[in-house]
């Protein structure tokens, strides 16, 4: 892969300089909290959209923090004398973090990479390194068309980090590591972290991210998908924010997988099962095609490898024109020659038309290795707001599946349950009506689901505090409503299973 046109990167093996640089950054409050305090919420939020004017206005002073923001975030040359009192300039230049610009009275230094403060889940001061001008989310595109460019943190990165199950594990694999954010998170709870990428520049930048964040080094391997992983290697956790964009060709390494349609995501999911230890999780972001004459849910079910439970959530769907425009803007093609833009747009639509693709879905795929005779595969659409982080919610989902799989209806009725935290009941009907048309249970945490229940289901959930078995609760409800308790016991387990599966009640 050619990285011609991209600047040289700092040396990751200069640990002494990296430690000094990290100490200087933290000492000047160049942290997520420090930036928010300096810039204010509007300017801080604008940075995530690659809009720099508000931050430039907020850093017109000469404090150490303002100097560092202009240098590493806004990527402005800063006078040498101004930086000298903040950073070990000579050492940072020698190690490649900074480069000299100009001479004499106009001597200045500039950053060679983008360094962004990133707050860890327990308040850690982390730093994500990426190529200059390649923040994610700007209206003008990423700012570089170089094939091997490495992007920083974006919404997809933080989404995957938030949904990942965070339990202590022996070995974790970050497949397609990019700037290293998933490897950085995994280093908190995995004894050994392996990070792979087809782009050698990404591996270099991941090493910088880990070192500058004070995290242990990862086992870095170059290659596509599972190629760098030996046949005898298995993992407790596999995470990947892959190049999932469905595009005509492999133009940009960070986003285009180089396989036809959604084949890269399908291949990644299908090959992951054999790389998981029993009980291990594989979690991915993915795009998938909605093909004419085909059920998109059936398409995704066919991806799930044998021996794995799966939970697949479609978060968004775009028609092919919206999808093409999104990624043309991402590459900055909308700012190019209009004829070139139209040609590229046509190529995207030609590709979709040839494959009979009408729309593209985006969402999360979680696999869990299981020895169950009949694995559970749930494919659903949930475009509504959720509460991140969701890692505990994902783990609990599969634990509840185990419980339901291990308990037949008789065992379920003998079991004890409690109402999950922050569940509210809503009654829907015409004003003044004696009885509601229906009752809705709503979660205020996690997936924030809502489900309709009948009066028995609402009454059952309302008294679940773990003290009485489900059967005894139903017997009491039957007496209250004048219903045969045997018939009520026969018809209610299906509703109990749904309430457990969706997290409204939990086994005690």
């Amino acid at each position: 892969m050619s990285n011609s046109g991209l600047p040289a990167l700092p040396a990751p093996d200069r640990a002494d300089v990296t430690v000094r640089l990290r100490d200087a950054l933290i000492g000047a409050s160049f942290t997520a909290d420090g930036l928010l305090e300096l810039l204010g919420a509007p300017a801080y939020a604008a940075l995530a959209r690659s809009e720099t004017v508000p931050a430039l206005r907020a850093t017109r002073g000469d404090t150490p923090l303002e100097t560092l923001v202009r240098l590493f975030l806004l990527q402005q040359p800063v006078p040498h004398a101004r930086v000298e009192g903040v950073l070990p300039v000579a050492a940072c230049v020698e190690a490649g973090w900074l480069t000299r610009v100009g001479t004499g009275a106009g001597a200045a230094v500039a950053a060679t990479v983008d360094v962004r403060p990133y707050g860890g889940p327990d308040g850690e001061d982390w730093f994500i390194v990426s190529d200059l001008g390649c923040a994610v989310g700007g209206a003008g595109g990423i700012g570089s068309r170089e094939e091997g460019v490495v992007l920083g943190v974006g919404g997809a990165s933080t989404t995957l980090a938030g949904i990942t199950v965070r339990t202590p594990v022996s070995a974790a694999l970050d497949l397609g590591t990019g700037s290293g954010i998933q490897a950085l998170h995994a280093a908190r709870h995995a004894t050994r972290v392996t990070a792979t990428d087809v782009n050698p520049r990404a591996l270099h930048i991941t090493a910088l991210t880990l070192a500058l964040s004070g995290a242990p080094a990862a086992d870095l391997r170059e290659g596509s998908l599972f190629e760098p992983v030996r046949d005898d290697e298995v993992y407790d956790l596999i995470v990947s924010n892959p190049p999932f964009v469905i595009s005509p060709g492999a133009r940009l390494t960070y986003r285009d997988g180089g396989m036809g349609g959604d084949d890269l995501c399908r291949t990644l999911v299908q090959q992951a099962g054999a790389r998981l230890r029993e009980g291990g999780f594989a979690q991915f972001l993915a795009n998938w095609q909605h093909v004419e004459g085909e059920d998109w849910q059936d398409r995704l079910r066919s991806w799930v490898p044998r021996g794995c439970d799966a939970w697949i959530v479609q978060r968004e769907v775009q028609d092919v024109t919206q999808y093409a425009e999104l990624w043309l803007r991402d590459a900055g093609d909308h700012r190019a020659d209009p004829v070139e833009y139209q040609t590229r747009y046509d190529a995207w639509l030609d590709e979709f038309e040839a494959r009979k693709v009408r729309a593209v879905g985006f969402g999360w795929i979680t696999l869990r290795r299981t020895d169950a005779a009949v694995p559970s595969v749930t494919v659903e659409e949930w475009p509504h707001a959720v509460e991140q982080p969701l890692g505990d919610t994902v783990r609990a989902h599969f634990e509840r599946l185990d419980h339901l799989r291990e308990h037949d209806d008789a065992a379920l009725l003998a079991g004890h349950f409690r109402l999950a935290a922050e569940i509210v009941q809503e009654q829907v009907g015409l004003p003044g009506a004696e009885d509601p048309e229906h009752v809705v249970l709503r979660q205020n945490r996690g997936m924030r689901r809502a489900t309709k229940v009948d009066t028995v289901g609402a009454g059952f959930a309302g008294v679940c505090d773990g003290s009485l078995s489900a059967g005894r609760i139903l017997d009491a409800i039957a007496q209250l409503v004048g219903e045969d308790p045997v018939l009520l016991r026969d018809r209610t387990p299906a509703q109990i299973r749904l309430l457990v599966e969706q997290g409204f009640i939990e086994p005690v």
Side-chain angles (χ1 to χ4, degrees):
M1 175 178 302
S2 171
N3 286 322
S4 61
L6 291 169
L9 293 170
D13 56 348
R14 288 297 307 273
D16 57 329
V17 178
T18 303
V19 170
R20 292 171 66 189
L21 175 58
R22 172 178 169 78
D23 289 344
L25 296 178
I26 294 176
S29 295
F30 186 70
T31 62
D33 290 341
L35 286 186
L36 182 59
E37 183 176 348
L38 171 68
L39 302 178
Y44 189 70
L47 277 178
R49 304 189 300 270
S50 298
E51 298 291 350
T52 59
V53 172
L56 285 168
R57 292 174 60 85
T59 56
R60 290 178 287 194
D62 58 0
T63 66
L65 179 55
E66 288 169 298
T67 298
L68 293 174
V69 170
R70 284 194 163 248
L71 190 64
F72 286 115
L73 282 188
L74 305 180
Q75 291 147 27
Q76 303 289 311
V78 179
H80 184 284
R82 182 174 166 184
V83 181
E84 188 66 60
V86 181
L87 297 176
V89 174
C92 286
V93 169
E94 182 183 357
W97 290 97
L98 301 176
T99 185
R100 299 186 188 277
V101 181
T103 58
V109 293
T112 60
V113 288
D114 183 304
V115 177
R116 303 242 161 185
Y118 180 82
D122 290 327
E124 300 94 339
D125 290 319
W126 288 344
F127 301 95
I128 309 299
V129 181
S130 63
D131 274 314
L132 294 172
C134 292
V136 179
I142 63 167
S144 175
R145 297 189 183 187
E146 291 289 343
E147 178 187 356
V149 71
V150 179
L151 270 61
V153 177
S157 303
T158 54
T159 293
L160 179 58
I163 68 172
T164 299
V165 176
R166 301 294 177 192
T167 54
V169 296
S170 173
L173 171 64
D174 175 14
L175 194 150
T177 186
S179 59
I181 179 175
Q182 310 305 331
L184 182 57
H185 275 279
R188 293 179 61 252
H189 62 101
T191 304
R192 175 173 58 88
V193 176
T194 301
T196 72
D197 206 291
V198 70
N199 183 1
R201 187 176 182 86
L203 297 176
H204 190 132
I205 284 182
T206 291
L208 297 174
T209 290
L210 294 173
L212 193 58
S213 299
D219 178 6
L220 304 176
R221 305 183 191 179
E222 182 180 346
S224 177
L225 297 177
F226 288 100
E227 288 175 1
V229 179
R230 297 192 309 271
D231 290 342
D232 62 342
E233 289 183 295
V234 290
Y235 296 88
D236 308 285
L237 174 67
I238 300 172
V239 292
S240 183
N241 177 16
F244 53 66
V245 176
I246 301 171
S247 61
R251 180 178 166 210
L252 296 172
T253 304
Y254 75 87
R255 70 170 202 191
D256 302 322
M259 296 186 184
D262 52 17
D263 281 355
L264 182 133
C265 291
R266 175 186 57 80
T267 301
L268 176 62
V269 173
Q270 289 179 337
Q271 293 181 352
R275 304 295 185 179
L276 284 175
R277 281 198 182 99
E278 187 70 28
F281 287 91
Q283 298 185 264
F284 315 108
L285 301 185
N287 276 179
W288 43 79
Q289 298 172 151
H290 286 227
V291 180
E292 183 179 342
E294 178 182 281
D295 187 302
W296 68 270
Q297 293 181 321
D298 289 342
R299 182 182 190 85
L300 289 173
R301 287 189 186 95
S302 73
W303 290 8
V304 178
R306 288 185 178 182
C308 287
D309 292 324
W311 184 20
I312 302 173
V313 182
Q314 180 167 273
R315 296 287 290 157
E316 183 180 0
V317 181
Q318 291 183 315
D319 67 51
V320 293
T321 58
Q322 292 174 310
Y323 188 80
E325 291 161 13
L326 169 67
W327 294 108
L328 287 166
R329 287 195 302 271
D330 170 80
D333 290 323
H334 61 307
R335 293 183 282 108
D337 175 73
V339 175
E340 180 183 350
Y341 175 79
Q342 181 176 339
T343 300
R344 291 193 183 279
Y345 200 153
D346 270 334
W348 283 73
L349 297 185
D350 286 344
E351 178 79 5
F352 288 132
E353 185 176 340
R355 295 179 177 275
K356 298 183 179 180
V357 177
R358 296 293 175 259
V360 177
F362 167 81
W364 319 324
I365 297 177
T366 299
L367 306 177
R368 185 189 60 166
R369 190 75 187 176
T370 180
D371 60 1
V374 182
S376 169
V377 177
T378 301
V379 184
E380 63 175 319
E381 186 164 17
W382 189 254
H384 311 292
V386 299
E387 181 192 43
Q388 286 275 36
L390 276 170
D392 287 345
T393 299
V394 173
R395 176 185 50 77
H397 168 85
F398 287 94
E399 290 176 350
R400 293 193 303 270
L401 284 181
D402 285 342
H403 183 87
L404 293 174
R405 195 154 44 198
E406 294 163 2
H407 291 73
D408 60 17
D409 286 355
L412 204 65
L413 293 175
H416 294 239
F417 301 89
R418 61 169 169 259
L419 191 67
E422 297 194 38
I423 302 293
V424 297
Q425 176 179 303
E426 301 171 357
Q427 294 184 336
V428 181
L430 294 174
E434 183 175 346
D435 296 312
E437 292 179 16
H438 57 264
V439 178
V440 174
L441 298 182
R442 187 178 301 277
Q443 300 169 347
N444 285 322
R445 305 295 300 273
M447 291 293 287
R448 292 178 172 165
R449 295 186 186 277
T451 189
K452 290 182 183 179
V453 292
D454 58 19
T455 53
V456 171
F460 179 86
V463 297
C464 278
D465 61 4
S467 61
L468 296 175
S469 70
R472 290 188 62 187
I473 292 174
L474 291 179
D475 290 344
I477 292 175
Q479 186 173 4
L480 285 173
V481 300
E483 188 168 341
D484 185 334
V486 175
L487 294 178
L488 191 61
R489 280 173 172 256
D490 284 344
R491 70 176 176 84
T492 306
Q495 189 168 191
I496 296 175
R497 287 185 181 277
L498 180 64
L499 292 175
V500 172
E501 181 180 346
Q502 295 191 345
F504 288 93
I505 58 175
E506 302 167 342
V508 175

